């Protein structure tokens, strides 16, 4: 359990304010009622409960979400974010310890899986990514002969952007692959393969270049004193229960 004798200050007294993204199911997304939820939200809700705090959620685009604690928008940013050198959290932000690990993958029509499992020869395909995400960074170098398109362009205004990309664009051959972490693409395959003729498959499952495993980290606000220490303790004690076992 976290040490409740340690003083914690937060942006709003009595609340843990969390910035998250609504388009990375099951990590962070909107449910059928439009409410933000997901593994990150559930994990941080339990953390907030352990401190006797309510949780307040703010939706934010994924790109640059790691800057929001430094900007005093929230106490914690949580969106399945990998700590990377070029993701500057500012002097007012800090990275937490890692709490989960994923691999890169492509969600494709089952009939196309073999072609996508050979990235060196892959060409002429349309691959959809979230702007600024690790999938975006990875796809730019791994698939140089493909066209990279963005969720915020293709699915603007859609209540369920991930579902729209899979059920409408991939199903109707208007896009060929959705680049996401393997946990997200496994979720999307289970949720939507009945909507795609011939089904869906994960292809080209791999570690992003330079890593042996892509970790997820939270970003905390330094002015929320005591928060990072307590969050890291909570991560150490609870990360094994972050996601259901496969």
């Amino acid at each position: 359990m976290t040490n409740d004798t340690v003083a914690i200050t937060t942006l709003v007294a009595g609340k843990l304010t969390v910035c998250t993204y609504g388009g990375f199911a099951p990590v962070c997304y909107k449910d059928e009622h439009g409410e933000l939820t997901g593994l990150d939200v559930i994990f941080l809700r339990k953390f907030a409960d352990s401190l006797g705090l309510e949780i307040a959620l703010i939706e934010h685009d994924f790109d640059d979400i790691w800057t929001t604690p430094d900007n005093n928008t929230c106490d914690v940013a949580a969106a399945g974010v990998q700590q990377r050198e070029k993701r500057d959290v500012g002097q007012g932000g800090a990275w937490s310890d890692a709490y989960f690990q994923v691999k890169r993958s492509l969600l494709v029509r089952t009939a196309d899986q073999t072609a996508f499992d050979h990235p060196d020869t892959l060409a002429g395909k349309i691959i959809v990514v979230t702007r600024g995400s690790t999938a975006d960074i990875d796809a730019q170098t791994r698939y140089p002969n493909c066209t990279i398109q963005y969720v915020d362009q293709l699915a603007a205004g859609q209540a369920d952007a991930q579902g729209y990309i899979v059920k409408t664009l991939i199903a109707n051959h208007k896009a060929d692959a959705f680049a996401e972490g393997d946990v997200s693409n496994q979720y999307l395959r289970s949720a939507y393969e009945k909507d795609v003729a011939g089904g869906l498959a994960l292809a080209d499952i791999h570690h992003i270049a330079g890593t042996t495993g892509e970790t997820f980290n939270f970003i905390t606000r330094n002015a929320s004193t005591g928060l990072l220490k307590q969050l890291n303790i909570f991560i150490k004690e609870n990360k094994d229960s972050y996601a259901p076992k496969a």
Side-chain angles (χ1 to χ4, degrees):
M1 296 292 292
T2 54
N3 184 356
D4 58 9
T5 65
V6 176
I8 302 290
T9 62
T10 54
L11 188 64
V12 178
K15 293 184 178 182
L16 182 73
T17 305
V18 175
C19 289
T20 190
Y21 172 61
F24 276 157
V27 174
C28 46
Y29 65 104
K30 290 182 179 179
D31 63 19
E32 63 273 18
H33 305 295
E35 300 294 326
L36 290 163
T37 187
L39 298 174
D40 273 10
V41 173
I42 293 167
F43 192 77
L44 288 177
R45 192 181 298 277
K46 291 177 181 177
F47 172 61
D49 287 346
S50 76
L51 298 174
L53 300 173
E54 297 180 21
I55 192 168
L57 302 173
I58 298 174
E59 186 176 11
H60 194 280
D61 290 344
F62 179 82
D63 202 13
D64 288 336
I65 197 170
W66 45 89
T67 67
T68 54
D70 179 53
N71 293 336
N72 294 313
T73 304
C74 52
D75 299 297
V76 184
V81 184
Q82 181 191 27
Q83 182 176 352
R84 299 182 64 86
E85 183 177 346
K86 292 186 178 180
R87 288 177 173 169
D88 184 5
V89 300
Q91 294 185 347
W95 292 98
S96 78
D97 292 341
Y99 60 91
F100 196 56
Q101 183 169 298
V102 298
K103 294 180 181 179
R104 294 289 98 218
S105 67
L106 297 174
L107 186 67
V108 303
R109 296 177 292 271
T110 298
D112 297 337
Q113 181 180 12
T114 301
F116 281 96
D117 275 334
H118 296 85
D120 293 342
T121 58
L122 192 66
K125 302 294 188 182
I126 296 173
I127 299 175
V128 182
V129 302
T130 297
R131 192 183 301 275
S133 67
T134 313
D136 185 7
I137 296 166
D138 181 58
Q140 299 291 343
T141 56
R142 192 170 179 86
Y143 313 111
N145 298 314
C146 294
T147 299
I148 307 302
Q149 296 189 346
Y150 292 101
V151 172
D152 60 1
Q153 294 174 325
L154 298 176
Q158 297 293 326
D160 179 6
Q162 288 177 297
Y164 174 78
I165 288 162
V166 177
K167 296 190 293 180
T168 300
L169 302 186
I170 291 178
N172 294 299
H173 294 251
K174 295 179 180 179
D176 299 297
F178 199 2
E180 295 261 30
D182 56 349
V183 68
S184 289
N185 275 338
Q186 288 164 1
Y187 176 92
L188 296 177
R189 180 182 60 188
S190 296
Y192 301 124
E193 65 177 349
K194 66 183 182 301
D195 301 302
V196 179
L200 294 162
L202 269 66
D204 192 28
I205 301 171
H206 62 279
H207 292 302
I208 191 170
T211 74
T212 56
E214 176 188 339
T215 61
F216 288 171
N217 304 73
F218 300 118
I219 305 92
T220 62
R221 174 177 172 264
N222 290 339
S224 299
T225 56
L227 183 62
L228 179 60
K229 179 179 179 180
Q230 291 300 98
L231 180 55
N232 282 337
I233 292 170
F234 186 84
I235 289 169
K236 182 178 180 180
E237 295 177 350
N238 295 277
K239 64 181 179 180
D240 288 344
S241 61
Y242 169 81
K245 302 300 181 185

